[in-house]
Amino acid sequence: MDIHPDIERVIVSQQVIQARINELAAQISADYAENGQLVVVGILKGAFIFLSDLTRRLTVPHRVDFMALSSYGQTATTSGAVRIIMDLRVNVEARHVLVVEDIVDTGYTLHYLLNVLRTRNPASLRSCVLLSKPDRRKVDIPIDYVGFEIPDVWVVGYGLDYAETHRTLPYIGMLKPEVYK
Ligand code: IMP
Ligand code: MG
């Protein structure tokens, strides 16, 4: 596999990501088998690749919708301020909702989002995240499905960006320090 010249190290390879998504999709499909229609809510932009691979492997009926939330800006900060940039188009009341997010870092984003969605009275509300950085957590949130726990490093690829670059790499990697300058 060719590694992009900006990447210092691959944290999760393409093969390992794909194998884990098979497991997550099988688990989610089993868990929702009796529940009827599921609404999968992808959080833009970071979750778009994960969401597309995951949902194509679900064997339960589902709809897909998206939300966009404000993030950190161009690079990491510790601000807990989150707001909705684009809202859902489907009504989730009395529906089973699964939020799909790229990564949980401090937890502020998912915490805010789950609170907002809960006020809309879904039949159930769960979350699925590809990556979690447990060492960075500021607010405790329930995550129902986690792809991988990773250390406290900034990662890119498979939907995740650094200042909007490197989102479409097929693996999760760590940038070389000189790329940040
Ligand atoms: P949280 O609110 O601190 O949990 O941050 C969640 C959001 O921060 C994610 O949806 C990402 O957009 C972004 N983020 C956090 N860590 C990383 C990273 O290592 N690479 C890329 N984006 C990240
Ligand atoms: Mg994100």
Side-chain angles (χ1 to χ4, degrees):
M1 176 173 65
D2 284 342
I3 302 300
H4 190 284
D6 288 351
I7 298 297
E8 169 100 35
R9 183 159 70 83
V10 174
I11 307 279
V12 193
S13 73
Q14 185 172 4
Q15 291 77 5
V16 170
I17 294 171
Q18 294 301 325
R20 183 71 183 122
I21 293 175
N22 285 336
E23 294 177 350
L24 290 171
Q27 196 189 333
I28 292 166
S29 297
D31 291 353
Y32 286 91
E34 309 299 318
N35 279 354
Q37 186 75 241
L38 172 66
V39 180
V40 182
V41 174
I43 308 307
L44 297 173
K45 301 176 191 172
F48 81 112
I49 294 178
F50 177 43
L51 177 110
S52 96
D53 280 346
L54 181 75
T55 50
R56 285 180 293 168
R57 293 171 206 182
L58 294 178
T59 57
V60 287
H62 59 277
R63 299 176 186 193
V64 174
D65 204 354
F66 294 96
M67 286 177 87
L69 304 173
S70 67
S71 64
Y72 293 149
Q74 296 292 289
T75 55
T77 71
T78 51
S79 143
V82 182
R83 79 199 152 86
I84 297 174
I85 305 287
M86 187 189 90
D87 208 338
L88 294 175
R89 297 176 71 170
V90 300
N91 181 358
V92 296
E93 185 167 357
R95 296 230 170 98
H96 296 282
V97 174
L98 178 68
V99 172
V100 174
E101 174 63 307
D102 53 357
I103 187 166
V104 178
D105 185 34
T106 61
Y108 287 133
T109 305
L110 197 55
H111 176 77
Y112 170 83
L113 182 65
L114 293 173
N115 283 339
V116 167
L117 291 176
R118 207 171 284 114
T119 66
R120 300 179 185 178
N121 300 314
S124 69
L125 180 60
R126 289 188 187 170
S127 60
C128 173
V129 307
L130 181 66
L131 303 172
S132 172
K133 291 181 189 170
D135 298 344
R136 294 259 310 162
R137 205 73 87 249
K138 289 278 189 343
V139 49
D140 205 24
I141 38 155
I143 309 174
D144 301 284
Y145 307 97
V146 181
F148 305 94
E149 293 198 338
I150 61 165
D152 177 13
V153 293
W154 192 263
V155 290
V156 296
Y158 205 73
L160 294 114
D161 71 307
Y162 168 69
E164 294 298 330
T165 66
H166 302 97
R167 271 195 208 278
T168 56
L169 294 175
Y171 48 82
I172 305 284
M174 206 182 118
L175 288 174
K176 290 177 179 166
E178 59 263 34
V179 180
Y180 292 96
K181 282 166 202 148

